[in-house]
Amino acid sequence: MVDAHSKAKAAQIQRVGEVVRNFYSELPFNFHGSLESSVEAIRRPPVQGTYPDLHTLLRSNGDPGFHVLEVGCGAGWLANGIALHYGVHLEAIDLTPAALKRARALAPLLGTEKFVRFLECNVFDFETDRRYDLIMSMGVLHHTGDVFGAMAKLAPLLKPGGRMYLGLYHEPGRKVFLEEMWRLARENGEDAAFQRYCQLDSVHAADDTLARSWFRDQVLHPHETQHTLQQVDGWLELLGLKLESTSINRFAPIKNKKKLFRLELEYEARSRKALFEENRYFPGFFTALARKPL
Ligand SMILES: C[S@@+](CC[C@H](N)C(=O)[O-])C[C@H]1O[C@@H](n2cnc3c(N)ncnc32)[C@H](O)[C@@H]1O
C-alpha cells in the first residue's frame, strides 16, 4: 500500500515536471527580448533592495569555499547576478533547456562563466557529493507538485550551519491577484488581463517579451500551489532547520512566531488594498531563510 502510494506520488511529480517544462519551453520566465537587456538588468544589484537578508548573508561571507546551489535557476538572473556581484561559486539547476540556454549565454557576457555551472536536472533527480553553504530556490518549488518532498531532498545537501532560502507563493496574499486576473481573462479575454497586468507591473512592461514571460508565469501557469509561512516553518522544523528571517515581517528579527503567523493572515486584506485602492502590483510571494544547526 505504502509502495503504491509512493509510486503514485512519484508518477504525479514526474507528470507535473513534464507539464511545467513544456510550459516554460514556449517562453521561459523573466526572459528579456535581447541578451543585452538581460545583461543590463543583471548588472544592477540583484538582491540588495528586495532580499536584504540574502544580501547580508552573501556580503558577509569571506570564505572562498562558500558554495551555493540554486534550484530552478530559470534564465539565470539570480545565479549570474550573485556570481557577478558577490563572487561566489554556484551550481544552478533547472529542468527547462530553453531557460538554461539563455542562462548559459549570459555568463560569458557577464564574466561569470568561471563561477556558475548550469545543469539540466529535475530537483527530485539531483544527485551530488557536494555539501552547500546556501541552497536557494526562488519561485520554483510551488511548481513541483511536492514542496515538502523537494525541501526534504535538499536539506541533507546543506553543510552544518548552511542556509536554505526559499521564495514561494503565499496563500492569503496571492488569492486576490489571481482571482482578479482570472476574472478579467474569463470575462474580457486574455489580452485584457495582460493589459491590466502591464498597468500593475510597470517594471517589466517596457519589454514586451519580458512582460509576456511574467504574465504567463504569474497568471497562466498550469501548475502552482500556495503556502503559508506557518506551514513552511512546520516543514523546516521537521527537517531540523531553524527559521531565521522572512519577508512576511519585512525581515525583522523573529521574536514571536505566533504574532508572525497572525501577521500573515493580514496579507489577503493587504493584497486587496494594493490591487484595488493603490493600483499596485501585489502577486503574493514570500521568502523564508532557514539555517541548519552547526
Ligand atoms: C518561475 S520560474 C523561476 C526561475 C528563477 N528562479 C527566477 O527567479 O527567475 C520557475 C523555474 O523553475 C523550474 N522548475 C520547475 N520545476 C522544477 C523542477 N522540478 N526541477 C528543476 N527546476 C524546476 C522551471 O523550469 C522554471 O525555470
Side-chain angles (χ1 to χ4, degrees), residues 27 29-33 37 197 203-215:
L27 180 59
F29 172 63
N30 204 15
F31 199 88
H32 290 247
S37 150
Y197 181 84
V203 176
H204 301 110
D207 176 331
D208 191 60
T209 308
L210 185 62
R212 295 254 167 217
S213 78
W214 273 77
F215 173 72

Side-chain angles (χ1 to χ4, degrees), residues 20 24 29 72-74 77 94-96 121-123 138-140 144 217:
V20 168
Y24 286 118
F29 172 63
C73 61
W77 73 274
D94 199 287
L95 53 65
T96 306
C121 188
N122 187 321
V123 62
M138 301 297 280
V140 177
T144 62
D217 178 77

Side-chain angles (χ1 to χ4, degrees), residues 254-286:
I254 297 174
K255 292 189 182 131
N256 181 330
K257 277 195 186 168
K258 272 194 185 152
K259 266 195 189 165
L260 186 60
F261 301 149
R262 273 203 300 275
L263 180 67
E264 70 175 335
L265 299 178
E266 294 169 14
Y267 265 67
E268 182 168 346
R270 273 206 207 181
S271 167
R272 197 167 295 286
K273 186 167 180 224
L275 193 60
F276 296 113
E277 292 176 32
E278 299 162 354
N279 210 26
R280 195 159 56 77
Y281 182 51
F282 195 98
F285 185 78
F286 73 109

